[in-house]
């Protein structure tokens, strides 16, 4: 699949087949994702592949609203995307490099999440990035190190739906020339 086709055909998938995602495939996707650009090549994203039914049940019942729980419940894999704090957007002395302060961290993680989702789509997998969950609860459940922060959850699996593309805004609405 060429890049344009991959971008234009990737959809958020919220219904998955029961088939597992092979570890070798996931590792290959994470390897591809490691090429995502990041602030001063800081490479801060980290990934936790959650397959354990106890952890998934806790996330489903205790830490996510029903619309996300329903997705996680039938996805064969949940990817927790974290990042190493205090590197992206900072100088070596710990001061902020720009007025955005530490918000550059989320740029780097966002780029990595989209890169992962496109690589997964290219491999035939479906994904949906979820951002509404109990951050403190899941952080404790996953026992994240103090230097990491939870940024996103991505449900991953073999798609059981083929949704149409939603309407897109025109280039005239999106682009301004000065």
């Amino acid at each position: 699949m060429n890049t344009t086709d991959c971008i234009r055909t990737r959809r958020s998938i919220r219904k998955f087949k029961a088939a597992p995602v092979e570890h070798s495939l996931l590792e290959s996707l994470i390897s591809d994702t490691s090429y995502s650009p990041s602030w001063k090549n800081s490479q801060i994203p980290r990934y936790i592949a959650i397959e354990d039914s106890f952890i998934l049940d806790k996330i489903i019942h205790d830490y996510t609203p029903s619309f996300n729980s329903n997705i996680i419940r039938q996805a064969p894999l949940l990817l927790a995307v974290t990042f190493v704090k205090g590197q992206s957007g900072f100088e070596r002395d710990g001061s902020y490099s720009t007025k955005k302060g530490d918000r550059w961290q989320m740029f780097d993680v966002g780029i990595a999440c989209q890169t992962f989702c496109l690589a997964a789509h290219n491999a035939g997998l479906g994904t949906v990035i979820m951002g509404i969950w109990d951050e403190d609860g899941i952080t404790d459940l996953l026992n994240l190190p103090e230097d990491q922060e939870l940024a996103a959850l991505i449900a991953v699996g073999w798609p059981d739906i083929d949704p149409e593309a939603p309407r897109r805004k025109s280039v005239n609405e999106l682009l301004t020339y000065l």
Side-chain angles (χ1 to χ4, degrees):
M1 169 179 330
N2 71 45
T3 303
T4 300
D5 288 342
C6 191
I7 292 167
R8 289 182 178 228
T9 61
R10 190 247 166 222
R11 302 282 172 270
S12 291
I13 301 298
R14 293 175 174 86
K15 187 173 182 192
F16 300 94
K17 296 177 182 174
V21 175
E22 299 83 14
H23 288 189
S24 61
L25 175 56
L26 179 61
E27 291 164 11
S28 175
L29 297 173
I30 296 299
S31 177
D32 292 343
T33 302
S34 75
Y35 285 86
S36 299
S38 61
W39 178 275
K40 297 182 180 182
N41 197 32
S42 56
Q43 302 181 47
I44 63 169
R46 300 293 185 269
Y47 310 91
I48 302 168
I50 306 169
E51 299 171 311
D52 181 279
S53 60
F54 173 80
I55 295 172
L56 288 169
D57 283 345
K58 289 286 289 175
I59 292 171
I60 288 166
H61 292 101
D62 298 341
Y63 303 121
T64 54
S66 62
F67 56 88
N68 280 340
S69 294
N70 292 336
I71 296 166
I72 297 167
R73 186 174 283 112
Q74 40 84 49
L77 174 67
L78 184 64
L79 193 66
V81 183
T82 72
F83 62 86
V84 178
K85 298 186 281 189
Q87 293 181 16
S88 183
F90 293 87
E91 295 299 318
R92 290 183 193 268
D93 67 4
S95 64
Y96 296 134
S97 300
T98 72
K99 288 176 66 174
K100 287 194 178 3
D102 67 356
R103 291 178 289 162
W104 283 106
Q105 299 170 134
M106 292 304 287
F107 279 85
D108 287 357
V109 174
I111 294 167
C113 286
Q114 179 67 352
T115 301
F116 175 82
C117 290
L118 289 171
H121 175 56
N122 188 57
L125 290 169
T127 57
V128 62
I129 301 170
M130 296 175 284
I132 301 175
W133 25 262
D134 177 346
E135 184 172 348
D136 293 336
I138 294 176
T139 295
D140 289 343
L141 178 67
L142 298 179
N143 198 28
L144 291 184
E146 285 290 318
D147 72 336
Q148 288 186 33
E149 185 174 321
L150 184 61
L153 298 176
I154 304 176
V156 182
W158 301 101
D160 201 21
I161 56 172
D162 186 17
E164 293 292 319
R167 187 189 80 75
R168 298 295 184 209
K169 293 181 179 181
S170 71
V171 172
N172 289 337
E173 292 177 84
L174 301 172
L175 177 63
T176 302
Y177 288 101
L178 298 178

